[in-house]
Amino acid sequence: MVDPMYRQIAEDLRRQIEAGELAPGAQLRTELELREKYNASRNTVRDAVKWLITRGMVETRPGQGTYVVQKISPFVTTLTGDAASGGNDEGPVYASEVKAMRRKPEAPAPRVEIQQADSDTAGALQVPEGSMVVSRHQRRLIDQTPWSLQTSFYPMKLVERGATRLMQADDIKEGTAAYLARTLQIKQAGWRDTIIVRAPDGDETRSFKLPDDGRISVVETRRTAYDDQGLPIRLTVSVYPADRNQFAVNVGDLPSQVADPPSADESGSSTAEAGQDA
Amino acid sequence: MVDPMYRQIAEDLRRQIEAGELAPGAQLRTELELREKYNASRNTVRDAVKWLITRGMVETRPGQGTYVVQKISPFVTTLTGDAASGGNDEGPVYASEVKAMRRKPEAPAPRVEIQQADSDTAGALQVPEGSMVVSRHQRRLIDQTPWSLQTSFYPMKLVERGATRLMQADDIKEGTAAYLARTLQIKQAGWRDTIIVRAPDGDETRSFKLPDDGRISVVETRRTAYDDQGLPIRLTVSVYPADRNQFAVNVGDLPSQVADPPSADESGSSTAEAGQDA
DNA sequence: CCGTATTTGTTCGTATGTATT
DNA sequence: CAATACATACGAACAAATACG
């Protein structure tokens, strides 16, 4: 009938946190103190804390204590760019916009590989499954914090036709879309993004330093870009940890002063175009 | 040095699930059997199962057993519509597209309220904080399953200027954007969506019948729509459970045959325009 | 650098409650 | 009603991480 005790304890702590009696960053009472206060066993208190952890409200630090979590200032990625006008390639835009917000972007040199297309990649690029594709994998950091993992796949055919820089393991400063336009006269006409939310895999948990209990999910965007013939040029898969990212989509005519959306927390946020190529 | 035992057990079960040795829907061995197999205590086995639950890989049913989760066939919401051409209003499109996919959409009559704008709403609608706004709240179901919760806010000024139907608690079949265009000659020129992923609140957990341990997050989109003067017409806040929804964004010219994205599971998926007004 | 106290992490055992079949 | 299986709660012990003198 009544809630189990560990839930009652958890709800009481939750109330204190949401009422601000326990500020972000504040330390909760130790398990032994809570045990006395609620007249429960240590394991029951720990179940209550676990419940709060799952909801992302507190975190425990071995040897130190339990603390109310500090919200991370979110970063906003705009998924719609201007496909008609010149720069369809967001790489450079990304870097400058982030810098404008006084946040330091970093993008280590990409890891370039030649591999066989799996069925998803082959389907998106409209090439036979198992045919060769160039993959360019890149980590993006903001203020030394890993912000996204990105892998772009290009059909090998583009390299054969002369876009040899795709295979070099360094940044293409002008952006790959501009490079393809200059080299092969391939014009990127548009793209389609699909967005899903899922649990992080082991790699992502490590890269993003996520708590390894998987409670923070990741957002995966899959962008298939097409040329003016309607043929796919590239597939870019980006993975973002959900706790430090927001996304924006602009459609139609908007007033220019529409800048940042109200952010979920009190601290400031930043905007940038999506760095959707690697 | 080594992983704790509960993690080792969890990883072993995880491997079996990902290798397909334990198919979706299959029952795991009972806690007592696992206890014998891994030579651990029941509590340790339960810790391992808990770890898998947090990751959404298994679910427990009291009195029955532990089962590998069945993936839900995802529903795709397209966030970009055609802002220039006629139907900027997705309500009707939503219904017809869902039906075309042989999935039964339902949208009970909206709950209409007059309330004071909080700071977020006021900021988006560019009205003074505390001024009156009309809120239209709607639940959307697909195949009897709650799929999204939606609340649209309109400045009271629109009602004063003659859009009285906004305050009636019934569906506006033509869609509110078309209604506003017809009645007040207000043309919706575009919108901006911001997308965030967060933990569900109590209401959402109940409505979507989510497991109350909060491991499944929700996607919240906030759509601010503007008229051709650049003035905000409405703010629509939609909340989707992340386990049964995907999103799509189309930019520029795309080949028409670009239909469904490859879905995360083996079952079919469906597409529809966003039902972003209520 | 070392040792000690504090605090959380892991693992066991046991008993009882609740839901399902 | 009984058997089964998971849920909650207690107590205890030792390990590991951290802070501090």
Side-chain angles (χ1 to χ4, degrees):
Chain A
M1 205 58 204
V2 291
D3 272 359
M5 191 187 304
Y6 79 94
R7 284 275 261 126
Q8 295 182 39
I9 297 173
E11 292 292 0
D12 188 54
L13 291 170
R14 176 198 191 128
R15 187 195 51 72
Q16 290 182 53
I17 291 169
E18 287 177 350
E21 294 166 31
L22 288 167
Q27 180 175 5
L28 267 68
R29 268 168 281 200
T30 68
E31 292 173 351
L32 286 170
E33 288 169 333
L34 291 175
R35 177 195 130 105
E36 288 186 15
K37 165 164 184 188
Y38 293 106
N39 198 27
S41 80
R42 184 174 164 232
N43 277 331
T44 301
V45 168
R46 280 177 62 75
D47 279 347
V49 171
K50 237 178 247 173
W51 191 85
L52 293 169
I53 289 176
T54 305
R55 256 140 275 253
M57 305 191 66
V58 304
E59 63 182 350
T60 52
R61 302 179 203 151
Q64 295 187 61
T66 306
Y67 297 82
V68 181
V69 293
Q70 302 266 22
K71 261 236 188 79
I72 303 176
S73 154
F75 182 76
V76 181
T77 298
T78 301
L79 296 176
T80 45
D82 190 347
S85 77
N88 296 334
D89 188 87
E90 291 76 57
V93 181
Y94 163 85
S96 61
E97 290 278 338
V98 175
K99 231 183 296 190
M101 290 297 168
R102 297 157 185 261
R103 303 181 76 160
K104 288 206 200 93
E106 288 173 74
R111 179 164 52 76
V112 178
E113 288 173 358
I114 316 277
Q115 43 186 241
Q116 293 191 317
D118 62 21
S119 81
D120 277 358
T121 309
L125 293 179
Q126 293 172 29
V127 297
E129 187 172 339
S131 63
M132 304 314 271
V133 294
V134 181
S135 93
R136 298 173 62 85
H137 179 79
Q138 198 155 35
R139 246 158 49 103
R140 290 183 188 279
L141 310 154
I142 298 176
D143 295 341
Q144 284 96 51
T145 310
W147 224 262
S148 76
L149 291 174
Q150 239 175 42
T151 310
S152 289
F153 300 92
Y154 300 86
M156 202 59 190
K157 189 145 203 163
L158 294 182
V159 177
E160 290 161 5
R161 284 170 57 192
T164 51
R165 277 205 59 186
L166 284 182
M167 296 180 58
Q168 277 175 247
D170 58 2
D171 249 345
I172 299 179
K173 289 268 189 303
E174 59 188 323
T176 53
Y179 170 69
L180 289 177
R182 190 167 53 76
T183 313
L184 299 182
Q185 281 76 50
I186 289 179
K187 225 180 77 187
Q188 177 172 303
W191 64 70
R192 179 187 170 93
D193 288 330
T194 65
I195 306 165
I196 70 167
V197 177
R198 58 170 175 79
D201 65 22
D203 254 14
E204 290 152 358
T205 301
R206 245 193 327 282
S207 291
F208 296 132
K209 300 191 190 9
L210 296 177
D212 78 346
D213 63 2
R215 69 176 180 276
I216 296 181
S217 40
V218 293
V219 177
E220 177 181 302
T221 66
R222 305 177 72 89
R223 170 169 298 184
T224 312
Y226 298 87
D227 67 9
D228 49 10
Q229 309 295 306
L231 295 174
I233 306 172
R234 71 161 204 263
L235 166 69
T236 299
V237 181
S238 307
V239 179
Y240 308 84
D243 64 346
R244 67 198 75 157
N245 283 285
Q246 296 182 12
F247 301 87
V249 172
N250 298 318
V251 175
D253 295 324
L254 293 179
S256 54
Q257 67 272 29
V258 175
D260 287 352
S263 110
D265 62 359
E266 290 71 35
S267 61
S269 64
S270 326
T271 60
E273 296 293 309
Q276 283 286 25
D277 66 324
Chain B
M1 204 58 205
V2 289
D3 274 357
M5 192 187 302
Y6 79 94
R7 283 276 262 127
Q8 294 182 39
I9 297 173
E11 292 290 359
D12 188 52
L13 291 170
R14 175 196 191 132
R15 188 194 51 72
Q16 290 181 53
I17 291 170
E18 287 178 349
E21 294 166 33
L22 288 168
Q27 181 175 7
L28 268 67
R29 268 169 281 203
T30 67
E31 292 174 349
L32 257 58
E33 288 169 333
L34 291 174
R35 178 195 130 102
E36 288 186 14
K37 166 165 183 187
Y38 293 106
N39 198 28
S41 82
R42 183 169 167 244
N43 278 331
T44 302
V45 167
R46 279 176 62 75
D47 281 346
V49 172
K50 229 178 255 174
W51 191 84
L52 293 170
I53 289 176
T54 305
R55 253 139 277 250
M57 305 190 67
V58 304
E59 62 182 351
T60 53
R61 301 178 204 151
Q64 296 186 57
T66 306
Y67 296 82
V68 180
V69 294
Q70 301 268 23
K71 264 235 189 79
I72 303 176
S73 157
F75 183 75
V76 181
T77 299
T78 301
L79 297 176
T80 46
D82 190 348
S85 77
N88 296 334
D89 189 87
E90 290 77 58
V93 182
Y94 163 84
S96 61
E97 291 278 336
V98 174
K99 231 182 297 188
M101 289 298 167
R102 297 153 184 264
R103 303 181 76 160
K104 288 207 200 90
E106 288 173 74
R111 179 163 51 76
V112 178
E113 289 173 357
I114 316 279
Q115 43 188 238
Q116 292 192 317
D118 62 22
S119 81
D120 277 358
T121 308
L125 293 179
Q126 293 172 28
V127 296
E129 188 171 339
S131 63
M132 303 315 265
V133 293
V134 181
S135 93
R136 298 173 61 86
H137 179 78
Q138 197 154 37
R139 245 157 48 102
R140 288 183 191 280
L141 311 152
I142 298 177
D143 295 341
Q144 283 96 50
T145 310
W147 222 263
S148 76
L149 290 175
Q150 234 172 46
T151 311
S152 289
F153 301 92
Y154 300 85
M156 202 58 190
K157 188 145 204 164
L158 295 183
V159 177
E160 291 163 4
R161 284 169 56 193
T164 51
R165 276 205 58 186
L166 285 181
M167 294 180 59
Q168 279 176 245
D170 59 3
D171 248 346
I172 299 180
K173 287 267 188 303
E174 59 188 324
T176 52
Y179 170 69
L180 289 176
R182 189 167 54 76
T183 314
L184 300 181
Q185 282 76 51
I186 289 179
K187 225 180 75 186
Q188 176 171 304
W191 63 71
R192 178 188 170 95
D193 287 331
T194 65
I195 307 165
I196 71 166
V197 177
R198 59 171 174 77
D201 65 22
D203 254 12
E204 290 152 358
T205 300
R206 244 192 328 281
S207 290
F208 296 132
K209 300 189 193 2
L210 295 177
D212 77 344
D213 62 1
R215 66 175 182 275
I216 294 181
S217 39
V218 294
V219 177
E220 178 181 301
T221 67
R222 306 177 72 88
R223 171 167 298 184
T224 312
Y226 298 87
D227 67 10
D228 50 10
Q229 308 296 305
L231 295 174
I233 306 172
R234 71 161 203 262
L235 166 68
T236 299
V237 181
S238 308
V239 179
Y240 308 84
D243 63 346
R244 65 197 75 157
N245 283 286
Q246 296 182 13
F247 301 87
V249 172
N250 298 318
V251 176
D253 294 324
L254 293 179
S256 54
Q257 68 271 30
V258 175
D260 288 352
S263 107
D265 63 359
E266 290 72 35
S267 60
S269 64
S270 326
T271 61
E273 297 292 311
Q276 284 286 25
D277 66 324

